[in-house]
């Protein structure tokens, strides 16, 4: 069964509004989670690394004020797309690391399809 | 059938054939590689992984080969089934403190015809 849960699975919002996406580790604690973005028929691109109790680390070219990440607990990271525009429409996927070692399994959520109208 | 990920992103095979999906990775410092399967509307599903101290690893119906000299990774699927139809991604990880930060290849669409 799924060990990383994303919510919602689909969301449609209007331009200018903000949308929050949740990523939860269901049966393990994740000090580190990762957020990816995927456009149709394209690969996954890492957006940011979410660290529990500290600020997220963003990849080059990703606006931190646009994509707010909060890792408030060991089982929950949230991605908020602020002032969404149609070009933000995408498939957002999180992954979580089950443990701190290099042998720790990585688990992916089933993604959130965001459509901005 | 074979695909070269960067130039032939689609692969069509008949049920029962063996499939080979190729991937070229970019970072010579990468020490951990993973193959994922992604079905439409879903997140990546782990298939098999391999560390840089190995050149071959086998799973159930799948084999991953790693050639560090030319930075090449391949996924072999034996007796391909219609349920194997999906997009397949290779991913590399540079390891160390960046463990879990994956760089994904462009993906190969595998279509299995009954």
């Amino acid at each position: 069964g799924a060990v990383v849960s994303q919510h919602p699975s689909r969301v449609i919002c209007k331009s200018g509004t903000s949308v929050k996406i949740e990523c939860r580790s269901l049966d393990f604690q994740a000090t580190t989670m990762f957020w990816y973005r995927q456009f149709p028929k394209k690969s996954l691109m890492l957006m940011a690394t979410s660290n529990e109790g500290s600020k997220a680390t963003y990849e080059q070219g990703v606006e931190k004020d646009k994509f707010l990440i909060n890792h408030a607990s060991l089982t929950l990271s949230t991605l908020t797309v602020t002032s969404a525009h149609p070009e933000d429409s995408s498939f957002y996927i999180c992954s979580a690391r089950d443990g701190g070692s290099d042998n720790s399994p990585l688990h992916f959520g089933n993604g959130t399809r965001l459509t901005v109208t | 059938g074979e695909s070269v990920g960067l130039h032939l992103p689609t692969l069509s095979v008949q049920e029962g054939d063996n499939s080979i999906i190729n991937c070229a990775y970019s970072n010579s410092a990468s020490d951990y590689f993973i193959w994922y399967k992604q079905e439409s509307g879903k997140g990546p599903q782990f298939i098999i992984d391999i560390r840089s101290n190995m050149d071959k690893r086998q799973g159930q119906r799948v084999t991953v080969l790693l050639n560090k000299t030319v930075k090449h990774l391949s996924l072999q699927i034996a007796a391909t089934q219609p349920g194997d139809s999906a997009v397949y991604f290779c991913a590399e990880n540079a390891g160390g403190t960046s463990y879990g930060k994956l760089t994904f290849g462009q993906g190969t669409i595998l279509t299995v015809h009954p």
Side-chain angles (χ1 to χ4, degrees):
Chain A
V3 295
V4 172
S5 173
Q6 275 187 247
H7 179 79
S9 58
R10 290 178 177 270
V11 58
I12 300 172
C13 71
K14 293 185 177 180
S15 287
T17 61
S18 295
V19 174
K20 181 185 285 187
I21 302 169
E22 295 185 346
C23 179
R24 292 183 184 272
S25 56
L26 298 183
D27 53 6
F28 66 96
Q29 293 183 333
T31 55
T32 305
M33 292 184 176
F34 304 90
W35 287 96
Y36 294 83
R37 182 175 184 176
Q38 185 177 30
F39 290 106
K41 300 190 185 302
K42 296 293 184 183
S43 188
L44 285 76
M45 297 294 294
L46 180 67
M47 299 174 66
T49 302
S50 172
N51 301 297
E52 188 271 336
S54 64
K55 291 183 179 180
T57 304
Y58 290 82
E59 296 300 302
Q60 190 172 10
V62 178
E63 300 176 58
K64 61 180 181 181
D65 295 329
K66 172 76 173 174
F67 299 100
L68 299 179
I69 292 172
N70 183 17
H71 197 146
S73 76
L74 287 171
T75 60
L76 175 64
S77 174
T78 60
L79 168 67
T80 301
V81 183
T82 63
S83 187
H85 289 102
E87 57 265 32
D88 298 326
S89 298
S90 190
F91 195 47
Y92 292 88
I93 305 171
C94 71
S95 71
R97 203 169 74 184
D98 183 0
S101 75
D102 286 2
N103 293 315
S104 304
L106 293 168
H107 304 287
F108 279 84
N110 265 331
T112 297
R113 173 78 57 195
L114 170 63
T115 303
V116 185
T117 61
Chain B
E2 287 196 30
S3 81
V4 177
L6 292 176
H7 302 290
L8 296 173
T10 61
L11 176 63
S12 293
V13 300
Q14 290 297 126
E15 182 178 3
D17 286 353
N18 296 332
S19 301
I20 300 174
I21 301 172
N22 296 302
C23 178
Y25 65 92
S26 57
N27 187 351
S28 57
S30 294
D31 60 359
Y32 179 52
F33 305 88
I34 313 169
W35 278 101
Y36 288 97
K37 173 185 180 183
Q38 187 179 29
E39 297 174 319
S40 180
K42 295 185 178 181
Q45 175 187 350
F46 174 91
I47 301 172
I48 192 167
D49 59 358
I50 189 167
R51 296 201 176 270
S52 58
N53 60 352
M54 303 173 69
D55 53 22
K56 180 179 180 179
R57 190 157 189 237
Q58 288 184 292
Q60 186 177 12
R61 283 202 306 120
V62 294
T63 300
V64 55
L65 299 177
L66 174 63
N67 185 331
K68 295 181 289 295
T69 303
V70 295
K71 292 190 285 189
H72 183 268
L73 197 66
S74 70
L75 175 70
Q76 300 176 5
I77 305 174
T80 318
Q81 303 167 0
D84 294 328
S85 295
V87 181
Y88 288 79
F89 293 98
C90 66
E92 59 182 299
N93 188 103
T97 57
S98 68
Y99 175 70
K101 289 177 61 175
L102 301 179
T103 300
F104 281 80
Q106 70 166 43
T108 297
I109 301 171
L110 175 65
T111 304
V112 183
H113 301 284

